Amino acid sequence: MSKHHSVLGGVALALALILTGCSDDSTDPDATDTPTATPTETPTSASPAPKTPEEKAAAQLTAYLGVRDDAFRAATIDFKRLNKVATGDEFLQVQARVADLDLYKIKVTGEYVHTLSDPRPRTAKKFIITDCEDRSGVKEMKGGKEVPPAQGPNGQPLGNPLPTHYTVVLEKGRWLVSEADVRWEETC
């Protein structure tokens, strides 16, 4: 830690010397003021904050999917992050999946690609949003071998991309993902 403090101290000292050298307190009669450039605002690429309930629900589902995907790849859960985006059955399902990955020593690598539908209102505090999840860039490995793809109730491998209906609810003033319904018989 002392290494970081000495670096910051050096930066502070250099900044102080620069600012002192640029002060108006000069006694040089031939010195002239040099105009300084006024910084301009640089537009950011961040999208505006969601305003409507539909936008807020969709933004929360996007945040949830990021937390979920990170948990799967790490085979561990950051509960501080998960508590902010999930509740109910979905909160428990993420824990169960991560526990299975850890128990069976399955390593998940790669990126999931999520394509969300427009939110469909069920009530003022509940939306259904379909995610068409593409897992083609994701690998699950155990002992150096690829794990066979997950199967649906019919014994056939799940389709890819796979549609999943997510329920996003307003709970105690926050939008949270409460459940997922994998549509294994449907296609995107």
Side-chain angles (χ1 to χ4, degrees):
M1 210 184 241
S2 61
K3 194 178 235 183
H4 289 96
H5 288 292
S6 64
V7 171
L8 290 176
V11 171
L13 178 61
L15 184 58
L17 291 172
I18 290 169
L19 292 175
T20 304
C22 294
S23 74
D24 271 339
D25 297 339
S26 172
T27 56
D28 182 1
D30 296 328
T32 58
D33 285 341
T34 306
T36 57
T38 305
T40 58
E41 284 193 36
T42 306
T44 61
S45 62
S47 55
K51 294 183 171 95
T52 67
E54 290 87 349
E55 290 171 335
K56 290 176 182 178
Q60 193 66 334
L61 176 57
T62 299
Y64 162 77
L65 292 169
V67 170
R68 184 207 73 170
D69 296 353
D70 289 347
F72 290 174
R73 283 189 295 269
T76 188
I77 298 172
D78 179 344
F79 281 99
K80 197 171 190 180
R81 288 180 67 204
L82 185 61
N83 285 331
K84 293 178 182 178
V85 295
T87 189
D89 187 55
E90 197 56 19
F91 185 86
L92 298 173
Q93 290 298 324
V94 170
Q95 292 177 61
R97 175 73 172 128
V98 169
D100 283 347
L101 292 170
D102 185 51
L103 177 68
Y104 296 108
K105 300 185 182 339
I106 296 172
K107 178 72 177 153
V108 177
T109 60
E111 296 294 323
Y112 297 87
V113 176
H114 301 283
T115 305
L116 304 182
S117 69
D118 290 332
R120 296 182 314 272
R122 292 297 177 246
T123 67
K125 296 181 179 184
K126 183 177 185 179
F127 289 94
I128 305 295
I129 304 172
T130 301
D131 172 29
C132 193
E133 180 178 274
D134 184 348
R135 301 175 317 283
S136 59
V138 176
K139 293 241 185 280
E140 292 187 7
M141 304 292 287
K142 179 179 178 175
K145 296 179 182 172
E146 195 165 345
V147 175
Q151 296 180 348
N154 62 358
Q156 297 297 316
L158 291 176
N160 191 44
L162 181 67
T164 302
H165 296 322
Y166 285 96
T167 302
V168 185
V169 297
L170 185 60
E171 191 175 276
K172 296 181 185 172
R174 293 186 328 183
W175 289 98
L176 300 168
V177 177
S178 64
E179 59 187 271
D181 179 14
V182 177
R183 310 303 291 188
W184 59 274
E185 293 180 317
E186 298 175 14
T187 59
C188 291

